[in-house]
Amino acid sequence: REVKSVGDTIVGVPTQCLQSKNVLRPQSQTLTNICLKMNAKVGGINFVVHPQVRSGFFKEPVIVLGADVTHPGSLNVKSPSIAALVGSMDAHPSKYRAMVRVQAHRQEIIADMKEMVKDMLKAFYRTTQHKPRRILFYRDGVSEGMFQQCLSKELQAIRQACSSLEHGYEPGITFVIVQKRHHTRLFCAEQRDQVGRSGNIPPGTVVEEGITHPFEHDFFLCSHFGIQGTSRPAHYHVLWDDNNFSADNLQLLSYHLCHTYVRCARSVSIPAPAYYAHLVAFRARYHIEKHEHLDSDSGSSFGDGRNMVVSEEMQRAVQLSDRIKANMYFA
């Protein structure tokens, strides 16, 4: 953890750690996965969606955003939550840039969303020389009870970020919540449709009626191959859609994004940008561990739960070195 923390925040060099057993007794699959990670960290491209099947959504400049907030353990009543935002930097999309903020303990709404999105849009323009005309935003980890609050505050922050860059700049925004923590499981009606030793549903299975909301736009998508146990489909809730996606187009686009995850040659359970945001937030926890102990001793950053004020030292701890900001260091 110390190696990754120093590499990310001080030296600005991508790091790849290996266990001794994988060096002494290497296996081909392990080496393949390590090479995939290393290639992504130094700016390479592992997977792209084939042009013949890629959505027409990407025919014009588009940025795909993923966001997540991770919280400390249930017994921890002081440590801050960490908000992460990733954004695509190419037309495939395959390369992503990450930003991190520390915020109050167990605060789910991203407090600094406006500035994070603003910086991400600037980075997109520097990289592509284009302003995105559409924004596709995947938000991970929000419970149904917070949908309205998340939509009203975070969508408004995204709009404010766009208008602050240029008067009249209003790209179309599609705001999608992705949920994995639910109790819905899908099974094949016919045994011949089952795949794998566990008899799971095949990847790409979509359910959009019967068990979904009667009038809101939501659907279940199982995008991964269930290797062990019963597959858990992701539950997608489309809270806002300026881009007028049809149900089929958004489902297919989300499924394609599940195949662009750089760490493995299989499709994963949620779209890559949402997955990356989770990795970034989890990685940032390494960076603040020693600062948590220091601030806890001094009492500088802790108040009563959500009203605590995060210290400047804690915020600086998660800021990346300028040399690595454009890299997928989190891969």
Side-chain angles (χ1 to χ4, degrees):
R1 293 186 178 187
E2 187 67 21
V3 170
K4 292 184 179 295
S5 181
V6 171
D8 294 347
T9 61
I10 300 176
V11 183
V13 175
T15 58
Q16 180 61 55
C17 300
L18 301 176
Q19 292 183 336
S20 58
K21 65 178 182 180
N22 293 328
V23 176
L24 298 175
R25 296 182 298 275
Q27 298 181 358
S28 60
Q29 186 60 55
T30 302
L31 296 178
T32 298
N33 291 343
I34 292 172
C35 289
L36 288 174
K37 295 176 68 175
M38 293 174 63
N39 185 54
K41 289 177 181 179
V42 298
I45 296 177
N46 291 347
F47 311 107
V48 297
V49 178
H50 196 283
Q52 292 184 355
V53 298
R54 192 172 66 169
S55 170
F57 182 70
F58 293 106
K59 290 183 178 180
E60 55 186 357
V62 171
I63 186 170
V64 184
L65 302 176
D68 190 21
V69 178
T70 61
H71 306 289
S74 58
L75 299 180
N76 188 325
V77 297
K78 293 184 177 180
S79 297
S81 295
I82 298 176
L85 179 74
V86 302
S88 60
M89 293 290 126
D90 61 1
H92 293 302
S94 61
K95 295 183 179 180
Y96 288 81
R97 188 184 183 100
M99 295 181 182
V100 190
R101 296 290 189 275
V102 177
Q103 58 188 38
H105 177 77
R106 296 210 167 276
Q107 178 180 331
E108 182 59 45
I109 303 301
I110 300 178
D112 203 24
M113 176 67 85
K114 177 183 175 181
E115 292 302 316
M116 295 172 76
V117 173
K118 183 178 177 180
D119 291 344
M120 195 68 75
L121 293 175
K122 289 180 178 179
F124 183 90
Y125 183 79
R126 290 194 301 267
T127 304
T128 66
Q129 299 303 308
H130 293 284
K131 295 179 292 185
R133 297 182 183 178
R134 300 181 182 183
I135 298 175
L136 177 56
F137 184 82
Y138 288 99
R139 180 66 159 90
D140 189 18
V142 179
S143 63
E144 294 188 22
M146 296 195 67
F147 279 2
Q148 192 58 44
Q149 184 181 2
C150 181
L151 178 66
S152 61
K153 293 187 177 181
E154 295 187 359
L155 178 64
Q156 183 67 19
I158 296 173
R159 293 198 183 284
Q160 290 174 355
C162 296
S163 61
S164 66
L165 292 173
E166 181 181 338
H167 179 69
Y169 177 50
E170 298 179 352
I173 302 171
T174 298
F175 195 106
V176 184
I177 301 287
V178 186
Q179 290 181 322
K180 283 289 288 180
R181 295 183 179 181
H182 56 77
H183 300 291
T184 302
R185 301 294 184 271
L186 304 178
F187 302 92
C188 294
E190 301 290 340
Q191 187 173 359
R192 65 174 181 270
D193 296 327
Q194 297 177 354
V195 297
R197 289 180 294 180
S198 299
N200 280 303
I201 56 177
T205 300
V206 174
V207 175
E208 57 183 358
E209 58 183 20
I211 59 173
T212 55
H213 199 278
F215 54 84
E216 293 180 0
H217 185 183
D218 70 315
F219 59 91
F220 290 90
L221 167 61
C222 182
S223 55
H224 62 292
F225 186 93
I227 299 176
Q228 183 176 4
T230 303
S231 296
R232 178 188 299 176
H235 194 185
Y236 295 76
H237 300 261
V238 184
L239 301 189
W240 192 267
D241 183 20
D242 290 329
N243 297 306
N244 298 319
F245 275 107
S246 68
D248 289 343
N249 286 341
L250 184 57
Q251 292 160 11
L252 187 60
L253 174 56
S254 299
Y255 183 48
H256 285 167
L257 289 174
C258 294
H259 287 76
T260 61
Y261 185 63
V262 298
R263 282 190 172 189
C264 63
R266 292 175 175 267
S267 60
V268 290
S269 58
I270 59 176
Y275 213 136
Y276 293 150
H278 176 76
L279 294 179
V280 171
F282 189 79
R283 178 77 160 255
R285 185 70 62 182
Y286 296 164
H287 304 160
I288 68 171
E289 281 182 340
K290 60 183 178 183
H291 297 276
E292 284 182 316
H293 297 302
L294 293 175
D295 280 349
S296 181
D297 293 339
S298 64
S300 61
S301 66
F302 300 110
D304 55 342
R306 298 189 180 186
N307 295 322
M308 83 171 195
V309 177
V310 180
S311 69
E312 293 184 6
E313 182 70 20
M314 194 79 78
Q315 290 287 10
R316 287 195 298 268
V318 299
Q319 297 308 306
L320 303 172
S321 168
D322 290 337
R323 296 176 57 187
I324 204 173
K325 284 183 176 179
N327 294 70
M328 293 180 64
Y329 68 95
F330 49 85

